[in-house]
Amino acid sequence: MKTLLPALLIAASAPALAGDHAYGPFPANYVSECGSCHVAFPPQLLTAPDWQAMMNVLDKHYGVDASIEAKPRAALADFLQRNASRRDKHASTVQTPRLTQTAWFRKEHGNLPAKATRTLPAAAQCESCHTAAERGDYNESGLKLPAGFRHKER
Amino acid sequence: MKALITALFVLAAGSAHALNAADYQVGLAAAAKAAEPGFAGFSAQRGETFYRSTHGGDWSCATCHTDNPLASGTHTVTKKTVKPLAPSANPARFTDVDKIEKWFKRNCNDVLKRACTPREQGDFIAYLLTVK
């Protein structure tokens, strides 16, 4: 028991080990504040400077006003900073930070359209392919691809 | 202004029951009266016109909340489902002051490029309360 407990704690606090694509479940405040207009994106798939740049201009958030009062906003910013990626491949390659525009995302997904087309969902509509995205679970077992989607098409 | 509305609603809601849309309107009515001396009550008809108008921009309230506030809508950019706005279809609506104020601020900015006035907010709620 004594050795089992620390092992369990480590497993619980580090959900995104290599090869494991369960990034959630996320705290309730993150899901309610950042999951109301779109699925709550995994903080682990964008870098700390990207998250900070995004949190600084929530009133001008990709074409909509997503402003949040200072106090709850600070708690969310802190959560994002603590869980952000430290790897270059997760840095946004466009000025307005997008986790769908990182070297990692494009390698994994090919060029998904930024806007939904007749046959394909927009890249940011994670839940249309990753059926457990709501819980932050992006493991392959939850994948359900739209008809006509060819993996990594360019 | 915001403090006033909040204070009034607290009085109106008392401690007997949780906040509902009608309680929230009490605070809005006082604020509307203070802003417009000729204010003579909210109008569901004006509220419906407001709900469907694009106010000179691209979006109306109906763009995401659909033509029918009893139905689930779709966020026009992200395609995420938005639960019905009318309290008769979704009792969780207008039960949390912080949530109400947060979304009026955001969505009025998106649609009208400015804050909605207390009268516009009260008319809007009056309309939502008539759809059943």
Side-chain angles (χ1 to χ4, degrees), chain A residues 33 35-38 64-69 125, chain B residues 2 59 75 78-80 102-103 105-106 109-110:
Chain A
E33 293 287 5
S36 48
C37 298
H38 45 65
V64 301
D65 183 340
S67 49
I68 298 174
E69 296 274 323
Q125 286 167 245
Chain B
K2 189 179 153 184
W59 294 343
H75 192 288
T78 65
K79 310 302 173 206
K80 189 176 185 340
K102 177 170 69 187
W103 286 100
K105 175 172 188 281
R106 290 175 173 172
N109 263 341
D110 288 344

Side-chain angles (χ1 to χ4, degrees), chain A:
Chain A
M1 192 54 168
K2 244 191 177 132
T3 49
L4 180 64
L5 210 55
L8 281 170
L9 283 176
I10 289 167
S13 61
L17 296 171
D20 179 359
H21 291 281
Y23 299 95
F26 304 121
N29 65 331
Y30 184 65
V31 175
S32 67
E33 293 287 5
C34 302
S36 48
C37 298
H38 45 65
V39 71
F41 297 118
Q44 297 90 342
L45 296 181
L46 208 52
T47 63
D50 286 330
W51 286 123
Q52 193 184 344
M54 197 207 72
M55 292 302 283
N56 284 343
V57 288
L58 280 180
D59 57 329
K60 292 188 183 65
H61 183 78
Y62 310 89
V64 301
D65 183 340
S67 49
I68 298 174
E69 296 274 323
K71 224 169 138 186
R73 187 179 68 231
L76 295 165
D78 182 55
F79 166 74
L80 290 167
Q81 291 300 309
R82 278 188 285 110
N83 291 282
S85 170
R86 290 192 182 79
R87 300 191 221 158
D88 284 350
K89 67 175 183 177
H90 289 137
S92 177
T93 56
V94 292
Q95 204 184 0
T96 307
R98 286 191 179 267
L99 52 75
T100 55
Q101 293 288 342
T102 66
W104 172 84
F105 191 91
R106 279 201 304 267
K107 181 162 167 282
E108 199 69 51
H109 294 88
N111 284 336
L112 280 174
K115 279 199 162 75
T117 66
R118 205 169 43 77
T119 49
L120 283 180
Q125 286 167 245
C126 319
E127 72 286 359
S128 51
C129 300
H130 298 279
T131 57
E134 209 70 61
R135 297 195 301 276
D137 181 348
Y138 290 84
N139 280 309
E140 254 187 279
S141 52
L143 260 183
K144 190 167 163 274
L145 295 179
F149 174 76
R150 280 182 293 119
H151 191 197
K152 298 181 186 175
E153 67 187 337
R154 267 154 224 277

Side-chain angles (χ1 to χ4, degrees), chain B residues 2-4 9 11 17 32 36 56 65 69 85 90 102 105 112 116 127-128:
Chain B
K2 189 179 153 184
L4 175 69
F9 119 73
L11 284 178
H17 64 96
E36 301 171 41
H65 294 295
L85 208 46
N90 180 359
K102 177 170 69 187
K105 175 172 188 281
L112 297 93
C116 293
Y127 165 58
L128 294 181

